[in-house]
Amino acid sequence: MQPLNTQPEIAGDEVAIIEDDIGANGAPSARPDRARWKILVVDDDEEVHAVTRFVLGKAELLGRPLDLIEAKSSRDAQTELLHHSDIAVILLDVVMEEHDSGLKFARWVREAGLEDVRIILRTGQPGYAPELDVIRDYDINDYRAKSELTQTRLITSMTAALRSYQQIETIERSRRGLEMIISSCSQLFQKRELASFSHGVLLQIASLCGIDGDGMICAATENAAPADSSVISGVGALAPFIGSHLRDLPDEANLKTATLEAIRRNMFSTDGPLLLSVDTPPDRRFVASLDHSLPLDAMDSALLRVFAANIAVGFENVGLIERLDRLAYWDETADLPNRHRLLKDIGDHDADDRYVALVRVLTYSDTLSAFGQAMATGLLREIAGCLRELPGQPEVYRYAEDVLGLVVKPGSAAEARLADLESCQFQVVGQVMRARFAIGCAPLAYQGDAALICEQAFAALSLAGVNGRGDLVHFDAQMVKDARNRIELIAALRSALEDGQVDIAFQPLVDIASGACKGFEALARWNRNGAPVSPAEFIPLAEQVGLSLKIFELGVRRSAHLLARLNAKGCAAYASVNLAACDLEREDLLPFMMNLLGRTQLPPSSLQIEITEQSLIRDFTVSERNLRGLKNLGCRIAIDDFGTGYSSLSYIGRLPVDVLKIDRQFVTDIATNDSSQAIVSLTIALAQRLKLDVLAEGIETEQQRSVLAGMGLRHAQGYLFAKPMTVAQAEAWQGSPGGAGR
């Protein structure tokens, strides 16, 4: 093989000869701060290697020294190439072990996917392989005869190859950087929370720019001081400060001063600390700051700007998602997490002995009516604050308008506070207030089914709040059974009323002395599937679901039918029909009654309407107005179950009442119980003073009748005289000597 021409000709702009730095021990000192071009020299001639070392060993091309790696066969070259992944140029002999070893090696390089490395073919046998074909088929950078490669030409060829490699590497690095940006942004945009998104941004910046140091991201707002900015993500020594304000970082903390300046000036800087500012509407600025020792080159800076443009959209999207989440999971009025957040958070709790407690504020509606929305909502916030101030700070949710929810651990301070909540005082808009509560609880036994748990707690709450009674009820399996039975019974009752399966029985109201019939009480009866359903079961249910007025209407219609038949026979009587408390409060009660009396042709004077004492305490104003209207129509008014309710005696004096009905619980033991005798005696005396009639119900024995008659009672009702009967039976009974009292 022909030797290289070793005589130097020129030293161009692209090449400089450098001297070795000699250390104190005479050895060349390391230059770790300067990257070196790796050149693989493949030739089976040692002399060629020696000349190449002489020409290139101390050269500096494109600002960087060379690192020569030698191989004397294509096999050795493969080994070196696999060991050094960053070889830039291969100086390759064509003829070695075989006449085409170099060409085969070049093909292997390209087929192995090593497309970046540049290849300069050197041959001592010009014309062995057509130059154009070789360059085209093997992606060769240059093809020279060894006799042509003087020092200048070798350095020129090497410089051209290195520049080509550098351009390819720059393009490839840019491509990889853009792919990393696309990939990282795709991953980042899947993060819906600001903290995790920010942490991902820090990691991606560090990966993109090859930075391994402390870093953080701070969030600032337009109207807040830079020092008040929050550290929302941190790595390295700054990780412990997540959640802190920037001012809380120690003054000697890396990046603090630079970050404050970046927040003020909206900086982008890669010299010294890396500072990247991103603005998102309407008024937030995010600043990423990372500590690194070397400034970034132009490529990294350009890629970082592209990345910054993408994450600006990401920060804006995360902010939008956070606002949407707040709307979905937050009650803005009370400034409390809502029912949806409770359902979501229940899934984060283990299915241990904890339970969900739903707290209904029974005084909420009264507060709303009396003082307005602001006061009622303020009361809810104060109650929530009272529960949240406990050790462990349990979260409190607004489950419904007047219902708060929380997850409680048995034996905790929160459980003790729940039990004692009615004794607490609350400061609302300068006023001291107390509240009454009903509480329903359900265990976290069905982990993963938060909706079912809350439904169970709400079912318990419904029982706890019956009739406005404050109570604490724990859910059990029987509630499910009862609820299902109740739903089935409601559906059956609706059908029964539509199909005429609910009927009216009539029990005589008599003169206690003679037994003469004065009237009849209309009593609803229902046989379901051949078995009677107790009125104590279906009447309250009808009131709860709005069917009670249909039963009242049925009672009036059937009474009108009975009285019409009796009047045709010359028997005078009146009918007494029960009106539910919820119907007594209806605004349209009087028009309804006028229409009903007109349709049934029942004289108002023949109708007595019975109400309970409890009816009067629900809404006395409406009840009094409706009772006076009914009285003006000509109806009689009776108070049923007198003595068992909670109404004030002053109500009795104000209302247009005609009859007081003494409840059967005072009649049962009237002969032996002094208290019952005293209550009945006082009731009779009260009625006489108010010029009212008195009737005792539930009389079953002659002894009871005798005692009550001796106390001056005139009217009675009970099995001693007659049981409830059908229309035909009542008509026959009234016409009998005993029924007529004759």
Side-chain angles (χ1 to χ4, degrees):
M1 295 189 180
Q2 298 182 13
L4 288 166
N5 185 343
T6 60
Q7 297 300 318
E9 295 184 2
I10 60 171
D13 294 336
E14 302 290 353
V15 61
I17 305 301
I18 58 174
E19 300 295 333
D20 289 336
D21 291 336
I22 306 300
N25 59 0
S29 63
R31 302 290 296 275
D33 58 326
R34 303 192 62 189
R36 305 171 74 89
W37 298 114
K38 288 187 178 181
I39 312 297
L40 176 61
V41 183
V42 187
D43 204 298
D44 59 355
D45 190 338
E46 174 57 34
E47 184 179 356
V48 172
H49 284 289
V51 172
T52 303
R53 287 194 296 270
F54 176 78
V55 174
L56 299 179
K58 297 182 179 180
E60 183 178 285
L61 303 182
L62 302 180
R64 292 159 64 178
L66 308 182
D67 184 6
L68 301 181
I69 302 169
E70 299 180 0
K72 295 186 177 180
S73 68
S74 59
R75 184 178 300 276
D76 292 343
Q78 288 182 20
T79 302
E80 293 294 344
L81 198 58
L82 293 173
H83 182 68
H84 298 280
S85 61
D86 54 347
I87 288 176
V89 179
I90 301 174
L91 280 172
L92 178 62
D93 189 10
V94 175
V95 181
M96 290 180 289
E97 309 100 298
E98 300 177 3
H99 63 85
D100 59 350
S101 294
L103 297 180
K104 289 181 178 178
F105 176 70
R107 182 181 296 279
W108 177 87
V109 169
R110 297 314 183 203
E111 289 178 349
L114 303 175
E115 298 177 354
D116 297 351
V117 61
R118 300 293 86 203
I119 301 175
I120 299 176
L121 279 179
R122 298 190 296 184
T123 181
Q125 302 178 27
Y128 178 80
E131 182 175 343
L132 291 178
D133 293 344
V134 170
I135 291 176
R136 182 190 66 229
D137 296 341
Y138 295 95
D139 189 16
I140 303 301
N141 195 71
D142 203 355
Y143 184 17
R144 297 286 182 178
K146 293 182 180 180
S147 59
E148 299 174 351
L149 287 177
T150 61
Q151 180 183 28
T152 299
R153 288 189 176 180
L154 178 60
I155 289 175
T156 300
S157 295
M158 185 63 66
T159 300
L162 287 173
R163 180 177 285 112
S164 176
Y165 174 80
Q166 188 178 47
Q167 291 171 347
I168 292 173
E169 277 293 285
T170 299
I171 293 172
E172 179 62 19
R173 182 177 162 199
S174 176
R175 183 187 66 79
R176 290 195 303 268
L178 291 173
E179 285 182 350
M180 181 183 294
I181 290 172
I182 293 172
S183 175
S184 62
C185 287
S186 176
Q187 296 175 19
L188 286 172
F189 289 174
Q190 295 178 17
K191 301 181 182 297
R192 300 171 59 87
E193 296 179 349
L194 183 59
S196 59
F197 179 82
S198 301
H199 186 67
V201 167
L202 273 182
L203 297 181
Q204 294 297 343
I205 291 176
S207 175
L208 185 66
C209 302
I211 298 173
D212 184 16
D214 300 339
M216 64 179 172
I217 292 183
C218 293
T221 56
E222 182 178 332
N223 298 325
D228 292 333
S229 303
S230 300
V231 179
I232 57 176
S233 181
V235 295
L238 296 174
F241 294 99
I242 295 176
S244 303
H245 292 291
L246 193 55
R247 64 170 179 271
D248 298 330
L249 271 64
D251 292 337
E252 62 272 14
N254 290 340
L255 304 177
K256 180 176 180 179
T257 301
T259 303
L260 285 169
E261 187 65 17
I263 292 172
R264 294 188 187 97
R265 296 173 52 194
N266 191 19
M267 294 175 59
F268 179 95
S269 174
T270 59
D271 295 330
L274 187 154
L275 301 170
L276 188 155
S277 298
V278 173
D279 286 348
T280 62
D283 62 349
R284 299 183 80 180
R285 173 171 294 170
F286 298 93
V287 173
S289 50
L290 290 93
D291 197 10
H292 65 113
S293 56
L294 296 175
L296 301 183
D297 60 21
M299 175 62 68
D300 283 339
S301 295
L303 289 173
L304 191 58
R305 288 186 181 275
V306 175
F307 183 69
N310 279 271
I311 64 169
V313 176
F315 273 115
E316 184 175 352
N317 288 344
V318 170
L320 176 60
I321 290 171
E322 284 191 335
R323 289 194 291 274
L324 292 175
D325 281 348
R326 183 172 179 86
L327 291 174
Y329 294 111
W330 201 263
D331 186 285
E332 297 287 347
T333 305
D335 196 26
L336 292 171
N338 62 16
R339 173 180 177 271
H340 300 295
R341 174 58 68 179
L342 173 60
L343 293 173
K344 187 173 184 293
D345 290 349
I346 285 175
D348 297 334
H349 292 283
D350 297 329
D352 53 13
D353 57 347
R354 280 176 286 190
Y355 58 88
V356 171
L358 297 182
V359 182
R360 169 164 281 131
V361 183
L362 299 175
T363 48
Y364 175 86
S365 58
D366 290 340
T367 304
L368 180 64
S369 300
F371 301 105
Q373 184 69 64
M375 183 72 79
T377 305
L379 177 61
L380 283 183
R381 283 198 297 266
E382 289 300 314
I383 296 169
C386 176
L387 293 169
R388 280 190 301 194
E389 69 184 8
L390 301 171
Q393 295 181 325
E395 186 59 89
V396 181
Y397 308 80
R398 189 177 189 180
Y399 186 84
E401 183 180 21
D402 59 348
V403 179
L404 299 174
L406 66 160
V407 177
V408 181
K409 187 172 181 63
S412 65
E415 185 176 58
R417 179 62 58 84
L418 281 178
D420 195 42
L421 201 54
E422 290 202 358
S423 66
C424 297
Q425 294 183 344
F426 307 101
Q427 288 277 350
V428 185
V429 195
Q431 294 193 31
V432 177
M433 302 182 66
R434 290 183 181 273
R436 292 184 300 108
F437 305 92
I439 303 171
C441 306
L444 298 184
Y446 299 94
Q447 187 180 18
D449 197 343
L452 176 60
I453 294 171
C454 287
E455 286 173 7
Q456 293 173 345
F458 199 80
L461 178 63
S462 299
L463 294 180
V466 170
N467 296 325
R469 185 182 72 245
D471 202 354
L472 190 152
V473 175
H474 284 271
F475 176 85
D476 58 39
Q478 184 61 37
M479 290 182 186
V480 176
K481 184 177 180 180
D482 292 343
R484 289 175 179 170
N485 291 339
R486 180 174 178 272
I487 292 172
E488 292 176 0
L489 197 62
I490 290 171
L493 179 58
R494 290 185 188 277
S495 298
L497 284 169
E498 292 173 359
D499 299 340
Q501 297 174 17
V502 176
D503 203 355
I504 301 297
F506 295 93
Q507 186 172 29
L509 310 175
V510 304
D511 182 288
I512 196 170
S514 65
C517 179
K518 300 299 182 181
F520 294 88
E521 181 178 2
L523 302 170
R525 293 294 183 261
W526 177 26
N527 284 327
R528 183 186 180 196
N529 300 325
V533 181
S534 170
E537 183 177 4
F538 76 83
I539 293 298
L541 195 62
E543 294 180 10
Q544 293 174 24
V545 298
L547 296 176
S548 54
L549 196 60
K550 286 183 175 293
I551 295 176
F552 173 78
E553 180 181 358
L554 177 64
V556 173
R557 286 194 289 106
R558 299 291 282 165
S559 296
H561 177 66
L562 172 62
L563 296 184
R565 293 175 67 91
L566 293 176
N567 287 335
K569 294 182 177 182
C571 299
Y574 68 92
S576 187
V577 185
N578 291 276
L579 181 67
C582 57
D583 298 324
L584 181 61
E585 298 171 355
R586 292 175 65 105
E587 294 292 341
D588 62 345
L589 178 61
L590 293 180
F592 171 82
M593 282 299 303
M594 294 172 66
N595 180 272
L596 179 59
L597 292 172
R599 286 188 286 113
T600 59
Q601 295 298 304
L602 178 64
S605 59
S606 298
L607 177 62
Q608 177 173 287
I609 296 176
E610 294 190 18
I611 61 172
T612 61
E613 277 190 277
Q614 286 87 342
S615 304
L616 304 177
I617 66 172
R618 290 168 56 108
D619 191 334
F620 182 78
T621 302
V622 177
S623 299
E624 182 183 21
R625 183 173 66 246
N626 279 339
L627 287 177
R628 292 194 180 280
L630 293 172
K631 184 67 175 177
N632 291 335
L633 286 177
C635 300
R636 288 163 52 88
I637 307 296
I639 295 183
D640 195 13
D641 302 333
F642 186 78
T644 62
Y646 306 94
S647 65
S648 168
L649 290 177
S650 64
Y651 290 174
I652 306 302
R654 291 171 53 185
L655 294 172
V657 176
D658 299 290
V659 181
L660 299 181
K661 294 186 69 174
I662 298 174
D663 188 71
R664 68 179 64 246
Q665 74 180 56
F666 302 112
V667 173
T668 301
D669 58 356
I670 190 67
T672 58
N673 190 309
D674 293 341
S675 296
S676 295
Q677 291 180 12
I679 292 174
V680 172
S681 179
L682 288 172
T683 302
I684 294 173
L686 173 66
Q688 290 173 346
R689 291 291 301 270
L690 297 176
K691 298 181 180 180
L692 305 177
D693 289 335
V694 180
L695 183 147
E697 54 187 356
I699 299 176
E700 298 182 356
T701 68
E702 178 60 32
Q703 185 182 30
Q704 293 169 346
R705 187 201 67 79
S706 177
V707 172
L708 290 168
M711 297 175 67
L713 191 75
R714 295 176 54 196
H715 302 107
Q717 176 182 0
Y719 281 9
L720 177 65
F721 307 101
K723 294 182 178 181
M725 55 192 74
T726 65
V727 169
Q729 291 170 340
E731 184 180 355
W733 185 89
Q734 173 70 343
S736 67
R742 294 187 295 271

